[in-house]
């Protein structure tokens, strides 16, 4: 085995997972490049702490030429395609855009890999949203897909195109089918972070209520910092394979709210208001992973349980809100 320092290119480095993956790969002594779009307002909050250690290359999943340039510049051994329009709710408002970025974006990266160097390994951020109206429980690598949103459909395209490029061209291309994973770096529009941040505002008397949609949906929630290790492990395999990554435990949105509010010494029933505008045109009611395959084959399992996750996010938001004062 060569001792050459490996190089990784991460699309979506400014997001939750991209930033944790960058931390993880730097600790493994990788040279890390991050793809960043120039058109967006620069938001480097998640990667501010490592700006001196990573290199940024400009590019956009909508523009294949930019991806070719970025790959030529970074010369990566591994590409992690984490960039996406990742908010399910927004995908009904921007269905075509979501298809372009989240779906076709993946094939643009794969084509750029083929053009520049087909030996580069490719990771695709697939999603449990592809299971949608679930056909069986828990969901495994062989559970049939039934996406329930433009986002889920776009992710399914990206998933199958990754499988097809592996089978058609022999690329080392893998998909991690990840269940929901959260952290203090999660965007405020996602339900767990919305809950912990608003609960912290309420606790510090800066908000009076928390408006939510469907409290009955169940999710298999894990900690993002744990999940990036599974991505990396998949890329170190001899043969490219897809894996389901999750905890095997599921909780409703209501349970998550209750857990967080109780931890902060609050009665959620006094503050939570149901807002019909936050209901989705179609809902994914119940997700629960069977992650026994990844545990058996790669020795990966989550380190942070559901309660610890809720508490670490609540603690981080209590500190953030106090700091914002
Ligand atoms: P996130 O925080 O929303 O990050 C998305 C990233 O994509 C951001 O860095 C964003 O950059 C970038 N991006 C968006 N559009 C782009 C474009 N046109 N070109 C280049 N970059 C673009 O998402 P995340 O939670 O870290 O998730 C990472 C990936 O895993 C996503 O593909 C998501 O769909 C998938 N996934 C997430 C979960 C989960 O529970 N978190 C579960 C399964 C799968 P800007 O800063 O410029 O906006
Ligand atoms: N965002 C949000 N806001 N969701 C709410 C709210 C609210 O006010 N009220 C209830 N929910 C419910 C949603 O209807 C959904 O059933 C659940 O909370 C989780 O919503 P999100 O946190 O937005 O996540 P998601 O499950 O739709 O999607 C996330 O996980 C996927 C993996 O399964 C995203 O990270 C996707 O990118 C990811 O692929």
């Amino acid at each position: 085995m060569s001792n050459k320092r490996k190089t990784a290119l991460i699309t979506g480095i400014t997001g939750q997972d991209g930033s944790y993956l960058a931390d993880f790969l730097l600790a493994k002594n990788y040279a890390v490049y991050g793809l960043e779009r120039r058109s967006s307002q620069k938001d480097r909050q998640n990667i501010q702490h490592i700006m001196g250690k990573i290199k940024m290359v400009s590019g956009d999943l909508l523009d294949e030429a930019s991806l070719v340039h970025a790959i030529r510049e970074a010369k990566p051994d591994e590409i992690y395609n984490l960039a996406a329009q990742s908010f399910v709710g927004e995908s009904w408002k921007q269905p075509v855009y979501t298809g372009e970025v989240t779906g076709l974006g993946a094939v643009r990266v794969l084509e750029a890999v083929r053009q520049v160097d087909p030996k580069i390994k490719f990771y695709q951020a697939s999603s449990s949203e592809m299971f949608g109206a679930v056909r069986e429980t828990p969901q495994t690598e062989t559970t049939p897909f039934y996406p329930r949103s433009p986002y889920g459909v776009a992710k399914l395209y990206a998933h199958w195109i990754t499988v097809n490029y592996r089978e058609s061209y022999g690329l080392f291309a893998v998909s991690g089918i990840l269940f929901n994973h959260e952290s203090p770096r999660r965007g405020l529009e996602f339900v767990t972070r919305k809950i912990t941040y608003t609960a912290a505002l309420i606790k510090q008397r800066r908000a009076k209520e928390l408006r939510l949609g469907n409290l009955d949906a169940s999710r298999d929630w894990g900690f993002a910092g744990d999940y990036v290790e599974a991505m990396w492990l998949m890329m170190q395999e001899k043969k490219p394979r897809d894996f389901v990554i999750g905890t095997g435990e599921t909780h409703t949105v209501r349970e998550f709210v209750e857990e967080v509010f109780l931890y902060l010494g609050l009665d959620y029933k006094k503050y939570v208001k149901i807002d019909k505008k936050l209901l989705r045109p179609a809902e994914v009611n119940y997700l629960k992973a069977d992650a026994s395959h990844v545990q058996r084959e790669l020795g990966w399992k989550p380190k942070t349980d559901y309660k610890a996750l809720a508490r670490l996010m609540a603690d981080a938001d209590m500190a953030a809100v106090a700091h914002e004062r």
Side-chain angles (χ1 to χ4, degrees):
M1 220 170 76
S2 136
N3 285 327
K4 179 186 157 274
R5 190 182 186 204
K6 281 194 192 167
T7 300
L9 172 62
I10 303 173
T11 76
I13 195 162
T14 54
Q16 171 187 257
D17 291 9
S19 65
Y20 280 107
L21 181 64
D23 290 344
F24 178 87
L25 294 176
L26 286 171
K28 291 239 168 258
N29 196 33
Y30 274 62
V32 175
Y33 284 79
L35 185 93
E36 185 179 48
R37 43 186 181 164
R38 289 198 64 78
S39 58
S40 71
Q41 263 303 72
K42 291 277 179 290
D43 177 7
R44 290 175 166 173
Q45 201 181 333
N46 284 338
I47 52 172
Q48 209 58 56
H49 62 293
I50 48 171
M51 277 315 290
K53 297 182 188 158
I54 57 178
K55 293 194 180 117
M56 304 301 274
V57 284
S58 79
D60 193 310
L61 253 53
L62 295 175
D63 182 346
E64 192 180 327
S66 75
L67 302 172
V68 170
H69 289 305
I71 295 172
R72 286 207 174 114
E73 190 178 333
K75 299 186 183 58
D77 302 288
E78 300 169 6
I79 295 181
Y80 295 84
N81 183 36
L82 309 185
Q85 189 304 91
S86 75
F87 186 34
V88 174
E90 187 65 18
S91 76
W92 277 280
K93 292 178 190 141
Q94 301 194 42
V96 176
Y97 176 78
T98 301
E100 281 286 350
V101 178
T102 306
L104 290 175
V107 76
R108 292 191 188 100
V109 182
L110 282 161
E111 270 301 312
V113 166
R114 250 167 43 84
Q115 203 173 316
V116 178
D117 178 3
K119 288 194 297 303
I120 298 169
K121 293 180 172 183
F122 174 86
Y123 173 92
Q124 170 58 24
S126 284
S127 164
S128 51
E129 271 291 304
M130 301 187 309
F131 295 124
V134 297
R135 306 284 93 187
E136 64 181 6
T137 292
Q139 294 86 48
T140 74
E141 287 79 4
T142 56
T143 300
F145 298 118
Y146 195 132
R148 292 269 283 172
S149 63
Y151 168 84
V153 174
K155 277 288 177 191
L156 195 53
Y157 173 82
H159 180 79
W160 278 117
I161 202 73
T162 302
V163 174
N164 271 263
Y165 269 55
R166 174 166 80 216
E167 294 175 355
S168 306
Y169 303 119
L171 296 189
F172 188 107
V174 296
S175 276
I177 306 175
L178 270 58
F179 283 62
N180 298 50
H181 46 280
E182 319 293 313
S183 76
R185 298 184 197 170
R186 189 59 145 151
L188 285 166
E189 67 273 38
F190 298 95
V191 80
T192 54
R193 184 77 203 288
K194 182 175 175 182
I195 292 166
T196 55
Y197 185 73
T198 314
L201 287 176
I202 291 170
K203 180 74 185 172
Q204 297 183 37
R205 298 180 195 285
R206 293 187 42 212
K208 290 198 168 67
E209 62 176 29
L210 166 60
R211 301 187 83 79
L212 291 172
N214 179 14
L215 298 186
D216 295 319
S218 279
R219 289 291 182 274
D220 179 328
W221 279 299
F223 173 52
D226 293 344
Y227 284 37
V228 295
E229 183 190 18
M231 298 178 187
W232 176 78
L233 284 170
M234 287 177 61
M235 294 285 263
Q236 312 314 308
E237 283 275 84
K238 283 216 171 68
K239 283 195 178 152
R241 286 188 286 174
D242 303 333
F243 285 95
V244 155
I245 313 293
T247 68
E249 203 179 306
T250 188
H251 293 275
T252 61
V253 172
R254 181 180 285 98
E255 284 167 342
F256 193 90
V257 175
E258 200 169 1
E259 182 71 43
V260 169
F261 275 67
L262 210 61
Y263 179 59
L264 297 181
L266 300 167
D267 175 2
Y268 84 93
K269 291 194 181 118
K270 288 189 189 151
Y271 304 99
V272 171
K273 304 272 179 304
I274 301 303
D275 183 341
K276 290 207 169 113
K277 289 202 287 296
L278 294 166
L279 297 174
R280 294 174 178 180
E283 181 60 282
V284 170
N285 293 315
Y286 190 88
L287 291 175
K288 183 179 179 183
D290 173 351
S292 55
H293 195 218
V294 68
Q295 191 166 338
R296 217 172 33 246
E297 298 290 316
L298 305 186
W300 179 88
K301 57 178 183 191
K303 299 183 179 86
T304 314
D305 70 13
Y306 160 78
K307 240 187 209 318
L309 173 67
R311 289 171 181 204
L312 79 82
M313 289 178 69
D315 285 340
D317 275 327
M318 282 298 286
V321 167
H323 184 74
E324 282 162 17
R325 265 178 188 276

